Amino acid sequence: MDKLVRESQKDQVIGQMVRIKKGQEKPEAFRLMTDNEVLQMQMKIIFNWKPHSQMWPFSWGVGILGGAACLTGLFVNNICRQKLHLMTFARVSTFAPTVVLPALLTTTLHNILITNNILLGNFPCTVCAATQSGAIQAAFGAVYPMIIGPLVCIITARKYHTYAVPSVRNISELSSFLRKTTPVAGSLMALLLVNFGLGMLISERETTLFTKYLSPSLASPKEFDDEGFK
């Protein structure tokens, strides 16, 4: 597997970040860089890039994904609350797990599992990164709020007696109850596909920018000193 190394120059003060392929001859003076060092340097390049808008997937990508998850949870939460006649009862207790938590999960997981690995050059292909990103966004930005949203609203409706919630033992009544009190399947499927598509799009753009500008093996080596890139 390729390794990112720091090729030392001028008494270990100035160097270049280069990628050493398996079997390739190593520079005379080098040391392997840690993942944190590589990420810090990559983020400094992105932060100082001109024009900065060109690096929008890295700057705003997770915000877009978090917003999509937030809107999905908000839609599910509002529909379930309306159909269960919850009015102003327990808004925070249904809002937090359905809207806030999915947004936090999608942004955190995308940043750790997708963006960081792209910047480290760990994905073998664009499709691999895009598929994994889409799956994460669909699972935590769509499927999770679709499950937790109706559940917390049903529990709240039973607690405040705003709707006659059938027993879980009565399968026929429970099935009819869920059809009446949850969003229609078509809307849920559309939200699922939108989240999956956005996850793939952001990841594909990140991978393209990495390949074109940020990969030491494809672009000119990045020169830096001990305080960061020059």
Side-chain angles (χ1 to χ4, degrees), residues 24-150:
Q24 181 178 344
E25 184 179 352
K26 298 180 177 61
E28 292 183 3
F30 78 96
R31 72 172 177 83
L32 294 178
M33 298 176 67
T34 66
D35 287 349
N36 285 336
E37 286 178 320
V38 176
L39 289 174
Q40 287 174 8
M41 292 182 178
Q42 294 283 48
M43 292 309 299
K44 188 165 186 177
I45 294 175
I46 292 168
F47 181 79
N48 293 317
W49 194 268
K50 302 297 181 184
H52 187 65
S53 58
Q54 192 172 28
M55 291 291 171
W56 70 266
F58 294 109
S59 301
W60 309 316
V62 291
I64 293 171
L65 297 179
C70 186
L71 291 175
T72 300
L74 194 62
F75 173 80
V76 173
N77 188 54
N78 285 342
I79 293 295
C80 291
R81 287 185 63 87
Q82 289 174 11
K83 292 188 175 184
L84 291 168
H85 311 304
L86 289 177
M87 298 178 287
T88 60
F89 293 114
R91 281 182 174 175
V92 174
S93 63
T94 62
F95 182 86
T98 311
V99 180
V100 178
L101 191 55
L104 292 175
L105 285 172
T106 53
T107 54
T108 301
L109 291 174
H110 182 88
N111 189 58
I112 294 174
L113 300 178
I114 305 300
T115 301
N116 285 358
N117 280 312
I118 288 174
L119 292 176
L120 291 171
N122 290 341
F123 280 110
C125 64
T126 301
V127 175
C128 302
T131 303
Q132 186 172 326
S133 176
I136 290 172
Q137 181 66 23
F140 295 96
V143 175
Y144 173 80
M146 289 174 189
I147 294 174
I148 200 68

Side-chain angles (χ1 to χ4, degrees), residues 206-227:
E206 288 176 331
T207 307
T208 298
L209 288 174
F210 170 80
T211 302
K212 191 172 183 180
Y213 301 115
L214 303 173
S215 175
S217 62
L218 298 177
S220 59
K222 308 300 182 183
E223 186 174 295
F224 59 89
D225 57 23
D226 285 340
E227 296 180 353

